[in-house]
Amino acid sequence: MAENRTLNHIITEQQGSGSSWLQHGFNSVNTAGINEYRRGPLHSVFPTKPAQVSSVQDLFEFICSGPLLEKIGVTAEMVAESIDKWLLYGRLLSQLFQLNELYLTVPQKARIYHYYIPVFLWCEDQIKQHRSTFKNEEDIPPLVVGFSAPQGCGKTTLVFALDFLFQKTGRKSATISIDDFYLTAEGQAKLREANPGNALLEFRGNAGSHDLPLSVETLTALSKLTREGMKMKPPRYDKSAFSGRGDRADPSTWPEVEGPLTVVLFEGWMLGFKPLPKEIVKAVDPQLETVNKNLEGYYDAWDKFIKSWIVIKIKDPSCVYQWRLQAEIAMREAGKPGMSDDEVRDFVSRYLPAYNAYLPTLYLEGPNGSDPKRLLTIEIDEGRNPILAA
């Protein structure tokens, strides 16, 4: 797949955005400008000194101690039977993130063997189920996996890792973000003018600031990439245009995707949000009423295309503010443009009403139109690590 998001792009995008686990092992990437999103180890109980070379038995026991195995239906016996596959995936991810697989720190081992590989195995099983519903002679559309996860929680790196594993194991995949569907700069200006005084629609982000017809067109085209030779270019968005207000990137920069696609990884902070009764959203923030009305068109544009869901759950939406603040501080310390603390507070304040209104329903009922049997909910801590749900 001709995807234009390289490792260095991901690192640059994430300036401190939860990749502190990577800090303890880069050997060829210039990390001078990459500061940790949170000071200290990735997991509060994990040491950050390099681990000794692990035996396969030690690694097996470490894998089996992970919080996601039971959720994805994997037993210790199944791990033992497929340990070669775990070792291969671990080796590939170590290469991707330029880590020494023989001397991973415990945070690095946890991120790879407790998080990324289990999620990849779950996706593989979902693809198998999806493909089993078609007859041999039928064209099989790619499975669209939706990732609903708050900003700053590490979903971009997760999707990047999964995309890499699919490619390395012979499956063609594509990645798309809800950010890619933002209105053009001109469209955003019109939205702002049509909603004077509504801070939630002053900038891109909330429901109403996306080009829904473009979303339908793109997801429909991706679903039709079922054979060799079929190609299309999904849109991309340039957040740096117009002094940070953003604009759709020039089509010449859009990546080319080729069929036959096996899977589409579709991520976004508000995927699966359901419109709520007017009185509920007005109680959270009166400005949210228009956003809630706009949300009514999103199921047909986004959610109905998604057949399998991964929801990354947080306990407190205020984490988003802390993560964003740490990211901007890291950027400033690296000598790059970054928002001030007040600007971060203003930026996040435009998203918090939606989080406060829609996350409880998302966590209680699942994404809009989702099948509980095809939903994986992963609860993470403030360090962005999976934890055992209470």
Side-chain angles (χ1 to χ4, degrees):
M1 153 187 165
E3 176 57 84
N4 68 345
R5 286 174 180 161
T6 65
L7 174 62
N8 286 329
H9 285 138
I10 293 295
I11 295 168
T12 300
E13 289 172 2
Q14 296 228 349
Q15 299 293 332
S17 65
S19 294
S20 60
W21 62 282
L22 292 173
Q23 293 292 96
H24 310 286
F26 273 110
N27 49 30
S28 62
V29 172
N30 179 11
T31 60
I34 307 173
N35 292 301
E36 293 181 1
Y37 216 40
R38 125 187 153 104
R39 303 296 176 183
L42 181 77
H43 193 291
S44 57
V45 300
F46 286 167
T48 56
K49 66 180 181 179
Q52 297 300 313
V53 177
S54 297
S55 67
V56 173
Q57 179 63 33
D58 289 340
L59 184 59
F60 166 76
E61 293 174 358
F62 184 82
I63 291 169
C64 292
S65 70
L68 295 184
L69 284 196
E70 185 176 349
K71 271 182 169 288
I72 66 171
V74 172
T75 64
E77 291 76 14
M78 294 166 70
V79 173
E81 292 171 359
S82 61
I83 192 66
D84 288 345
K85 187 179 290 188
W86 284 84
L87 292 172
L88 171 63
Y89 296 162
R91 185 177 307 120
L92 289 171
L93 289 175
S94 294
Q95 292 170 0
L96 173 65
F97 293 112
Q98 302 180 20
L99 303 172
N100 186 334
E101 64 177 297
L102 299 179
Y103 289 93
L104 296 176
T105 64
V106 180
Q108 291 163 357
K109 284 173 63 178
R111 188 58 62 98
I112 290 173
Y113 292 103
H114 286 178
Y115 195 1
Y116 293 168
I117 295 178
V119 172
F120 180 68
L121 293 175
W122 183 84
C123 288
E124 283 194 312
D125 183 64
Q126 292 294 303
I127 291 170
K128 183 178 179 180
Q129 292 183 44
H130 169 72
R131 297 181 75 84
S132 71
T133 63
F134 296 87
K135 297 178 181 178
N136 291 335
E137 64 273 13
E138 289 184 294
D139 286 339
I140 302 178
L143 173 68
V144 181
V145 181
F147 296 76
S148 183
Q151 297 142 310
C153 75
K155 63 181 177 296
T156 302
T157 309
L158 169 62
V159 168
F160 181 64
L162 297 176
D163 183 47
F164 178 79
L165 286 178
F166 279 121
Q167 293 181 55
K168 287 297 183 180
T169 53
R171 273 77 58 87
K172 289 184 178 179
S173 56
T175 63
I176 198 82
S177 167
I178 65 172
D179 294 358
D180 298 323
F181 300 131
Y182 279 135
L183 295 170
T184 62
E186 181 182 359
Q188 290 177 45
K190 291 179 179 178
L191 177 69
R192 194 160 47 246
E193 292 167 4
N195 296 274
N198 190 328
L200 305 185
L201 295 172
E202 185 177 357
F203 301 109
R204 65 179 186 269
N206 282 292
S209 64
H210 302 90
D211 187 332
L212 299 188
L214 178 65
S215 305
V216 173
E217 177 186 335
T218 301
L219 291 165
T220 299
L222 286 170
S223 70
K224 292 180 179 179
L225 295 183
T226 58
R227 297 184 181 183
E228 292 283 350
M230 293 181 167
K231 301 177 181 179
M232 68 88 61
K233 289 188 173 185
R236 290 294 185 254
Y237 191 80
D238 181 3
K239 295 181 179 179
S240 65
F242 292 95
S243 302
R245 285 188 178 268
D247 195 9
R248 190 164 301 147
D250 188 285
S252 65
T253 67
W254 298 359
E256 187 173 75
V257 177
E258 299 181 21
L261 282 184
T262 299
V263 64
V264 175
L265 308 175
F266 183 22
E267 55 102 345
W269 71 275
M270 53 171 282
L271 277 182
F273 283 9
K274 302 176 184 178
L276 298 172
K278 184 186 301 185
E279 59 272 16
I280 292 179
V281 296
K282 288 184 70 175
V284 174
D285 187 327
Q287 298 179 104
L288 202 57
E289 186 175 355
T290 303
V291 172
N292 190 63
K293 181 67 176 177
N294 294 337
L295 193 59
E296 293 175 1
Y298 277 65
Y299 173 79
D300 286 334
W302 291 355
D303 301 339
K304 78 173 185 181
F305 290 92
I306 298 171
K307 303 306 178 186
S308 297
W309 286 87
I310 293 174
V311 172
I312 299 178
K313 180 180 179 181
I314 57 175
K315 290 185 176 180
D316 185 353
S318 65
C319 285
V320 174
Y321 168 72
Q322 294 299 326
W323 291 336
R324 187 74 197 191
L325 180 63
Q326 290 160 356
E328 295 298 327
I329 290 174
M331 290 179 69
R332 296 200 302 264
E333 290 179 348
K336 297 185 178 183
M339 290 187 282
S340 68
D341 292 4
D342 287 341
E343 288 171 333
V344 171
R345 190 172 292 105
D346 176 69
F347 176 83
V348 175
S349 72
R350 301 172 193 272
Y351 293 90
L352 284 179
Y355 283 131
N356 290 328
Y358 301 114
L359 285 183
T361 302
L362 178 73
Y363 296 158
L364 182 64
E365 301 178 2
N368 201 357
S370 63
D371 179 351
K373 296 179 181 178
R374 309 204 69 172
L375 167 64
L376 175 64
T377 300
I378 302 171
E379 188 167 340
I380 62 171
D381 61 18
E382 63 181 16
R384 307 167 189 82
N385 302 292
I387 58 176
L388 289 170

